[in-house]
């Protein structure tokens, strides 16, 4: 497995692969890799000849006061995991490679407002513009045929699909189901901020999503179903940002009895903010 940090080094490899007719897949990450990330690499291996993982903790998707400074950086361990998972190339750009121009001069790619203004976007203003900006830059630099994203960040996945469809990137977006611990907690780098008691309590997030979906399917009005999920979270000690049933395609409000839905939630245990989602049907 090769590791490159500069644009020219990256291009010398990716150009050769293109000339050889290789199908390349990009797995964008912020590092601190866990089984959820490795599932993305595994999914990529099934559809591509060459796998490129990127590791970059993107400052523009964190607001002031969020966890950018303490986000876990574990490069050596990440490289070992990627090598074992069969990754071919790891792109580890520095800030000057990803953002050669300072704020105010740099191009910003705005996320589609209809998708980015709700749920996570309403609670983390500007977050998705940071995501689309860095993902567009990664797409431009790596020029992959396929890019792999986890369903754990479901709203991000929809926003990236829109980015690709609207701006015309010739890239296939491959979604991968969330990997969970045995209690149902979705794998996340932020789980390691939790102490033991909080980790035990955090399984309520998945339970709340399942309960909300069950309530909706048994005919409860949307607001009642969402409230039942929020109540489970509150009893477990969470401060709830939202529990929301939405259309899976565009996060619009569902009609009663509608199918093709997703239930999404975000809630805080102490200083740690967790998100998760499930298909309703
Ligand atoms: O999902 C993530 O880890 C990040 O948002 C991403 C897509 C790597 C962009 O920084």
């Amino acid at each position: 497995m090769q590791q490159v940090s500069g644009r020219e080094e990256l291009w010398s490899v990716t150009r050769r692969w293109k000339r050889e007719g290789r199908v390349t897949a990009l797995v964008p990450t912020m590092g601190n890799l866990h089984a959820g990330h490795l599932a993305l690499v595994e999914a990529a291996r099934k559809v591509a000849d060459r796998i490129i993982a990127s590791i970059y903790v993107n400052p523009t998707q964190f607001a002031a006061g969020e966890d950018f400074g303490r986000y876990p950086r574990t490069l050596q361990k990440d490289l070992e995991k990627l090598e074992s998972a069969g990754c071919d190339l790891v792109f580890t750009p520095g800030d000057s490679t990803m953002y050669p121009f300072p704020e105010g001069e740099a191009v910003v790619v705005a996320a589609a407002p209809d998708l980015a203004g709700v749920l996570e976007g309403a609670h983390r203003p500007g977050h998705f513009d940071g995501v689309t900006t860095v993902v567009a830059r990664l797409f431009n630099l790596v020029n992959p045929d396929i890019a792999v994203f986890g369903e754990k960040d479901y709203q991000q996945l929809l926003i990236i699909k829109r980015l690709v469809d609207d701006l015309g990137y010739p890239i296939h977006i491959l979604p991968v189901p969330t990997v969970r611990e045995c209690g149902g907690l979705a794998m996340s780098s932020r789980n390691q901020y939790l102490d033991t008691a909080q980790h035990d309590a955090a399984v309520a997030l998945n339970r709340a999503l399942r309960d909300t979906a069950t309530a909706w399917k048994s005919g409860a009005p949307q607001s009642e179903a969402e409230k039942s999920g929020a109540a489970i979270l509150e009893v477990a000690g969470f401060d709830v940002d939202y529990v929301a049933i939405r259309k899976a395609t565009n996060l619009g409000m569902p009609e009663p009895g509608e199918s093709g839905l997703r239930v999404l939630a975000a809630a805080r245990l102490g200083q740690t903010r967790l998100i998760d989602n499930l298909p309703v049907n």
Side-chain angles (χ1 to χ4, degrees):
M1 185 179 76
Q2 261 181 283
Q3 183 193 348
V4 296
S5 297
R7 293 178 170 199
E8 296 295 339
E9 292 170 277
L10 172 70
W11 290 335
S12 77
V13 180
T14 53
R15 281 192 190 119
R16 175 162 50 80
W17 286 347
K18 288 276 170 205
R19 276 198 308 275
E20 292 169 359
R22 309 287 183 191
V23 174
T24 57
L26 170 67
V27 180
T29 82
M30 298 204 299
N32 193 240
L33 305 181
H34 50 65
H37 296 109
L38 301 180
L40 305 182
V41 176
E42 202 178 307
R45 289 203 59 76
K46 293 192 177 131
V47 292
D49 308 314
R50 293 290 180 271
I51 316 301
I52 305 171
S54 61
I55 299 180
Y56 180 65
V57 185
N58 172 38
T60 66
Q61 68 188 76
F62 291 80
E66 291 188 343
D67 57 342
F68 175 69
R70 67 178 181 129
Y71 198 86
R73 287 149 170 96
T74 51
L75 182 62
Q76 279 318 312
K77 282 188 184 154
D78 293 344
L79 294 176
E80 286 162 23
K81 289 177 187 171
L82 288 171
E83 177 138 42
S84 312
C87 185
D88 298 287
L89 179 71
V90 186
F91 180 44
T92 50
D95 290 336
S96 60
T97 298
M98 286 311 296
Y99 293 100
F101 289 86
E103 195 182 342
E105 293 175 30
V107 174
V108 175
V109 181
D114 63 319
L115 295 174
V118 297
L119 306 177
E120 282 304 281
H123 288 270
R124 302 183 67 190
H127 166 66
F128 286 121
D129 289 347
V131 170
T132 46
T133 297
V134 80
V135 168
R137 285 163 187 260
L138 286 168
F139 286 174
N140 293 337
L141 291 171
V142 175
N143 190 18
D145 300 296
I146 299 160
V148 191
F149 291 87
E151 287 181 351
K152 155 88 174 21
D153 295 294
Y154 190 77
Q155 191 172 1
Q156 168 176 283
L157 174 65
L158 291 185
I159 285 170
I160 289 165
K161 279 185 179 163
R162 179 72 65 78
L163 172 80
V164 162
D165 291 345
D166 196 26
L167 297 193
Y169 283 102
I171 298 175
H172 172 72
I173 300 299
L174 178 65
V176 175
T178 304
V179 177
R180 298 178 182 281
E181 297 180 4
C182 50
L185 179 64
M187 296 270 182
S188 164
S189 300
R190 291 187 168 106
N191 291 352
Q192 65 194 262
Y193 299 152
L194 302 169
D195 62 28
T196 310
Q198 289 173 327
H199 189 273
D200 291 345
V203 296
L205 183 51
N206 182 249
R207 190 152 41 85
L209 291 171
R210 283 189 279 120
D211 184 88
T212 308
T214 305
W216 168 270
K217 284 186 284 186
S218 25
Q222 180 183 354
S223 64
E224 292 306 314
E226 292 172 351
K227 272 187 208 152
S228 72
I232 289 174
L233 291 174
E234 278 157 12
V235 168
F238 278 94
D239 286 321
V240 181
D241 280 352
Y242 59 84
V243 176
I245 302 169
R246 292 288 184 272
K247 295 184 188 196
T249 49
N250 62 8
L251 303 179
M253 286 293 193
E255 300 298 327
E258 192 173 339
S259 58
L261 306 180
R262 203 94 191 172
V263 54
L264 308 98
R268 279 162 286 119
L269 262 181
Q271 298 297 306
T272 307
R273 188 169 182 281
L274 300 177
I275 62 170
D276 198 357
N277 69 88
L278 286 178
V280 171
N281 306 299

